[in-house]
Amino acid sequence: MLLFLSVPQPRPPGARTRAGAARAARWRRRQWLRLQQLQRLRGLLRSLRGRPGTGSHRRGRMALCGQAAGAASLPSELIVHIFSFLPAPDRLRASASCSHWRECLFYPALWPQLRICLRVSPTEQPRLEFLMRKCGWFVRELRVEFAAENYLSGGGGPGDGGGADTGTGGEEVEAPQLSNRWLEVLRTYLELVLCVLVSIRNNRIQQLFEEILSNSRQLKWLSCGFMLEIVTPTSLSSLSNSVANTMEHLSLLDNNIPGNSTLITAVELERFVNLRSLALDFCDFTAEMARVLTDSNHVPLQRLSLLVHNVSVMHKSLDNMPNDEHWKALSRKSTSLRVYIMAFDIKSEDMFKILKPSIPLERIHFDSYITCVSGAIVDLISRQYDKFLTHFILMNDVIDTSGFPDLSDNRNEDPLVLLAWRCTKLSLLAIHGYTVWAHNLIAIARLRGSDLKVLEVTEESIDFDQGELADQDVDPVHNLIEQVSLGLGQPWHAVMDIESLSVFTEPNRHFYREMQSFSEDI
């Protein structure tokens, strides 16, 4: 290791003047102290390197012990600069020299990216908490990888073969419940993930976001969705009145806001007089907000996207939501107003309260993990919104060994067929996790024809009548594909790989992207 140090010796300022003599003396004193510090640094580096000859390694180690005070007195900037040339393992080893070096180890510029590999074990919790406490507030790219060996082999969980068992008589018996071992592993995994998410809530990106808002001068489009509470109820106060008055699109989607807190209030919304597109949590869109949007000083609202989440419904009340008269007033204010609703695990009785007749509903997306959508809800939608509805997405991921729910049970007509018949503008229909009978699927294709641009139904959702299966002369699957393709006027196949479509695998992201394009249409 070689280190070349040079100290320039410029002429002291003010040396030619009598009045500058004292300043020149102080300047020389500072230069001498700086030279002494550099000489101590050179001696420290020489001791770390050791001297050639017999016993050089031993003398180098002893010299390092003797110069420990010198190492601790190095400027923090210099230590960070040294660390920047070292790989992560060497940084950790170098930081063990003294407490001052350990403090410099977690300087934000050294860790713009962080990769953490963990086992799904409670013993990893202290290690993860330490790293998140040190780096969680400034890291820009964080990757946490969990070892899969004990997560997937916990026993009784998905992926381990612990499904249904067969008895001695060859009949399938009821699948056992998830084992305690697998549930414990899953609980540990969720606790580790929660530790990460809670830590990055205080990431400096929240401060940077508010600085961007406060420094903006011509902001027209502000879209913040599912950003782990980076957007707070006070974020919009950073916007100046002039920017708020000219903004045309505002999206604030975050169902993790605790309690009764909201990201925007009706009073705050009064500043956004030029708003043409708005996306909010449904529980935050109150009757008072609807009244503000109908005021004469506001331009007509053209796009409204609403996220209805069971978490929000549990913590917030539906009592303040707009009634049918408010929706009529909004529609009179803007005849081009269209609404997009996404509902996560909402009970049927709550949906009956939410779906007011005068909502100009163009798109609706149901996604269920606990509560399934009923046939009555689908029937209500097809009757109330037949003039507006273009997109209908029905998703169900409820674990039920008895099979997918059948919306046509105890009904003369299938609700999905009635939806296709009544909603003449329907252009997209996607279904997963609900039983769709083959003959009904053919009927839907024939009713809407080429106007139905997208028909996505997963293969496991399609079922056949016994009569179709008993006909030996016709392959029911081939016949279904042929008849649906003829009805749509284009080649059609059932969705075989659910992972290939984000609408089925990433509903949040799909909704956010669709909401963006929905708003851009204006």
Side-chain angles (χ1 to χ4, degrees):
M1 177 180 179
L2 298 176
L3 177 66
F4 297 91
L5 301 174
S6 61
V7 181
Q9 296 291 334
R11 184 171 54 198
R16 291 187 178 182
T17 63
R18 190 172 182 179
R23 291 198 301 273
R26 290 194 297 271
W27 182 86
R28 283 193 294 270
R29 174 65 178 172
R30 288 196 300 270
Q31 291 294 321
W32 182 81
L33 291 174
R34 187 177 300 169
L35 178 61
Q36 292 294 107
Q37 185 179 24
L38 292 175
Q39 287 176 343
R40 286 198 299 271
L41 172 61
R42 184 166 52 185
L44 171 62
L45 294 176
R46 187 185 297 113
S47 67
L48 290 171
R49 182 180 59 205
R51 296 182 179 180
T54 306
S56 61
H57 175 70
R58 181 182 183 90
R59 286 195 299 273
R61 183 172 58 187
M62 293 176 64
L64 177 62
C65 297
Q67 293 289 339
S73 64
L74 288 177
S76 300
E77 294 81 2
L78 180 58
I79 299 173
V80 171
H81 186 64
I82 294 172
F83 280 168
S84 67
F85 294 96
L86 300 177
D90 291 340
R91 289 179 199 167
L92 296 175
R93 283 190 285 269
S95 67
S97 61
C98 64
S99 59
H100 183 43
W101 283 48
R102 281 195 299 275
E103 292 173 359
C104 298
L105 174 64
F106 293 104
Y107 190 81
L110 297 173
W111 306 97
Q113 300 174 337
L114 185 61
R115 178 187 175 190
I116 305 174
C117 299
L118 301 169
R119 293 178 299 106
V120 184
S121 169
T123 58
E124 298 280 29
Q125 185 89 8
R127 174 191 173 200
L128 182 61
E129 289 178 348
F130 172 80
L131 289 174
M132 290 296 97
R133 188 168 60 252
K134 291 293 186 180
C135 302
W137 63 277
F138 60 75
V139 66
R140 287 293 168 264
E141 182 177 327
L142 177 61
R143 176 177 296 181
V144 183
E145 298 178 357
F146 294 95
E149 63 270 7
N150 62 332
Y151 179 66
L152 295 178
S153 61
D160 66 344
D165 193 8
T166 56
T168 57
E171 296 182 354
E172 187 175 335
V173 299
E174 184 180 357
Q177 296 293 329
L178 299 178
S179 68
N180 291 333
R181 163 65 180 156
W182 189 85
L183 289 176
E184 187 63 31
V185 171
L186 180 60
R187 185 181 297 108
T188 302
Y189 165 76
L190 294 176
E191 288 176 353
L192 294 174
V193 171
L194 183 62
C195 175
V196 174
L197 297 181
V198 170
S199 299
I200 63 176
R201 283 177 55 187
N202 297 321
N203 196 295
R204 191 169 173 265
I205 191 172
Q206 184 181 102
Q207 177 185 346
L208 295 175
F209 175 74
E210 294 184 357
E211 289 178 2
I212 291 174
L213 295 184
S214 62
N215 294 327
S216 299
R217 294 297 177 265
Q218 296 180 343
L219 191 63
K220 300 290 186 181
W221 184 288
L222 178 59
S223 185
C224 309
F226 312 108
M227 296 176 65
L228 299 175
E229 301 183 26
I230 291 174
V231 185
T232 67
T234 61
S235 295
L236 291 183
S237 62
S238 303
L239 285 172
S240 64
N241 286 331
S242 60
V243 173
N245 291 340
T246 58
M247 188 172 295
E248 297 180 0
H249 171 83
L250 179 61
S251 171
L252 299 173
L253 298 171
D254 193 345
N255 54 277
N256 293 315
I257 299 297
N260 293 321
S261 301
T262 59
L263 294 178
I264 185 172
T265 62
V267 175
E268 185 75 25
L269 189 62
E270 291 179 353
R271 296 199 300 156
F272 296 84
V273 295
N274 203 42
L275 208 59
R276 303 176 186 273
S277 173
L278 178 64
L280 290 176
D281 186 290
F282 182 85
C283 293
D284 293 345
F285 186 68
T286 62
E288 183 62 21
M289 280 191 176
R291 186 199 61 77
V292 169
L293 293 173
T294 57
D295 286 346
S296 58
N297 61 327
H298 277 256
V299 301
L301 188 70
Q302 298 183 37
R303 295 292 183 269
L304 178 60
S305 300
L306 299 171
L307 174 66
V308 193
H309 201 288
N310 67 326
V311 175
S312 298
V313 173
M314 284 191 299
H315 292 92
K316 302 175 183 179
S317 174
L318 292 175
D319 297 337
N320 297 324
M321 66 180 178
N323 58 32
D324 199 51
E325 292 301 319
H326 292 113
W327 286 110
K328 288 180 180 179
L330 277 172
S331 297
R332 286 194 299 268
K333 172 77 175 181
S334 174
T335 56
S336 60
L337 175 63
R338 296 296 180 267
V339 178
Y340 183 8
I341 292 180
M342 182 169 189
F344 277 100
D345 268 331
I346 303 300
K347 299 177 181 178
S348 295
E349 54 266 31
D350 290 328
M351 286 306 304
F352 279 117
K353 297 177 183 177
I354 292 170
L355 296 175
K356 304 299 183 185
S358 299
I359 298 177
L361 183 65
E362 183 176 284
R363 305 185 184 193
I364 189 163
H365 182 167
F366 289 100
D367 199 290
S368 303
Y369 295 90
I370 301 173
T371 306
C372 295
V373 176
S374 66
I377 292 295
V378 178
D379 185 64
L380 177 69
I381 291 171
S382 67
R383 286 187 286 104
Q384 290 189 165
Y385 312 116
D386 55 309
K387 296 180 181 179
F388 302 103
L389 194 68
T390 62
H391 291 57
F392 186 83
I393 299 175
L394 195 58
M395 288 284 302
N396 170 36
D397 287 324
V398 177
I399 300 176
D400 188 353
T401 57
S402 62
F404 292 150
D406 185 359
L407 299 178
S408 62
D409 278 351
N410 302 320
R411 289 177 176 271
N412 295 327
E413 297 292 342
D414 183 270
L416 294 174
V417 175
L418 292 175
L419 181 84
W421 175 55
R422 291 168 175 160
C423 301
T424 56
K425 295 184 178 180
L426 189 67
S427 62
L428 183 147
L429 178 62
I431 303 171
H432 166 68
Y434 291 86
T435 298
V436 181
W437 295 99
H439 61 273
N440 289 331
L441 193 56
I442 295 172
I444 291 171
R446 290 175 177 174
L447 283 168
R448 292 275 51 86
S450 59
D451 292 336
L452 187 58
K453 305 299 182 183
V454 178
L455 177 59
E456 294 174 347
V457 183
T458 54
E459 181 268 341
E460 60 263 39
S461 300
I462 301 174
D463 206 346
F464 297 86
D465 289 331
Q466 292 299 321
E468 295 173 317
L469 297 175
D471 190 350
Q472 300 296 327
D473 298 330
V474 179
D475 180 359
V477 176
H478 177 76
N479 181 66
L480 172 67
I481 294 174
E482 182 181 12
Q483 293 300 320
V484 173
S485 299
L486 286 173
L488 297 176
Q490 60 179 332
W492 177 88
H493 291 277
V495 178
M496 306 299 292
D497 182 13
I498 192 174
E499 299 295 330
S500 63
L501 297 176
S502 63
V503 63
F504 296 133
T505 58
E506 298 175 329
N508 263 359
R509 183 175 298 179
H510 175 83
F511 170 66
Y512 188 70
R513 284 199 299 260
E514 288 297 303
M515 180 272 298
Q516 297 280 80
S517 62
F518 177 65
S519 299
E520 289 170 357
D521 285 345
I522 63 177

